[in-house]
Amino acid sequence: MPRQGLTSARVADAAAELADTVGLSRLTVAAVARQFGVSDAALYAHVRNRDALIEQVAVRAAAA
């Protein structure tokens, strides 16, 4: 069951911000999970894997 308030859009936004800070090569699901104070497993309800997370970041960057 997804954690209340944690959405795919919020995960992608946090990942984009984190990528801006640490660089795309250092972006991990675990690092994004830490931003929300949840386990890695909790994030997998909202993002398939690291590649999907990076894809979401790229989509946001292209739209900006």
Side-chain angles (χ1 to χ4, degrees), residues 22-64:
V22 302
L24 195 57
S25 65
R26 296 185 62 199
L27 181 67
T28 63
V29 172
V32 177
R34 281 192 300 274
Q35 295 288 315
F36 287 104
V38 299
S39 68
D40 299 4
L43 240 59
Y44 286 114
H46 304 283
V47 64
R48 198 170 52 248
N49 54 33
R50 181 179 184 270
D51 290 338
L53 191 61
I54 290 173
E55 181 179 320
Q56 290 177 3
V57 170
V59 166
R60 278 169 170 62

Side-chain angles (χ1 to χ4, degrees), residues 4-21:
Q4 185 176 11
L6 192 59
T7 65
S8 296
R10 285 189 67 212
V11 168
D13 289 343
E17 288 180 27
L18 187 59
D20 284 344
T21 302

